[in-house]
Amino acid sequence: GSIECFAENETFSIFYSFVRDFTRLPSQTQGRLLDTLCKSVRSASNLFMTGDNEEQDVDIVRTKRNALKMSTFLLFTVISSAESAYVAGKKSEGPKKKGKSKTNDDDDDDIRFDWTSYRENAVSSLA
């Protein structure tokens, strides 16, 4: 599948349904989605770096441009959701209590999505 598949409404709709509910997805799915979107944006950006776009058919260039816009929109939406959830989580944590006993919530930390490990790659994909 080439990046142009993002310009197809069915493909975009499927990805958007995942992006829309990003913070409710399992952490492994969040990571895979983010990796896929980062690669898609970079791939779409590279299509315009080759310099041969002026020689291509107008419809092909339009399709590539739409794919870039769509994949960028999806990645930006994920970044916004992930950053908002991260900030909200930090605010709700509050100060750490000394001598706190281990609870089931502590076990959830092992499976939570680690936005900080993806942030730099995601943002640099948009640059």
Side-chain angles (χ1 to χ4, degrees):
S2 64
I3 186 60
E4 289 92 348
C5 73
F6 267 98
E8 298 172 10
N9 283 333
E10 286 181 27
T11 303
F12 179 81
S13 295
I14 291 167
F15 271 91
Y16 183 74
S17 68
F18 283 103
V19 167
R20 181 190 61 221
D21 297 325
F22 181 77
T23 58
R24 290 179 268 181
L25 295 173
S27 62
Q28 186 177 20
T29 304
Q30 289 175 326
R32 285 183 178 174
L33 178 61
L34 198 48
D35 286 339
T36 300
L37 291 174
C38 288
K39 289 175 187 174
S40 296
V41 168
R42 285 193 174 122
S43 177
S45 296
N46 289 337
L47 289 174
F48 289 98
M49 300 295 184
T50 60
D52 63 350
N53 293 310
E54 294 173 5
E55 300 170 8
Q56 291 182 356
D57 183 296
V58 173
D59 289 334
I60 293 172
V61 173
R62 183 179 301 124
T63 299
K64 289 179 179 181
R65 187 176 298 127
N66 285 340
L68 176 61
K69 289 177 185 179
M70 291 171 147
S71 59
T72 301
F73 168 76
L74 292 170
L75 180 57
F76 177 79
T77 303
V78 166
I79 290 171
S80 293
S81 296
E83 189 67 20
S84 294
Y86 176 76
V87 169
K90 284 293 185 188
K91 286 181 181 177
S92 70
E93 281 180 4
K96 300 279 183 189
K97 295 178 184 174
K98 293 183 179 181
K100 182 180 169 189
S101 64
K102 186 165 177 78
T103 64
N104 288 342
D105 289 341
D106 292 332
D107 292 335
D108 290 343
D109 289 342
D110 295 333
I111 58 171
R112 283 194 187 125
F113 179 67
D114 182 18
W115 166 237
T116 57
S117 67
Y118 287 89
R119 182 188 286 135
E120 185 176 348
N121 184 41
V123 172
S124 70
S125 295
L126 293 178

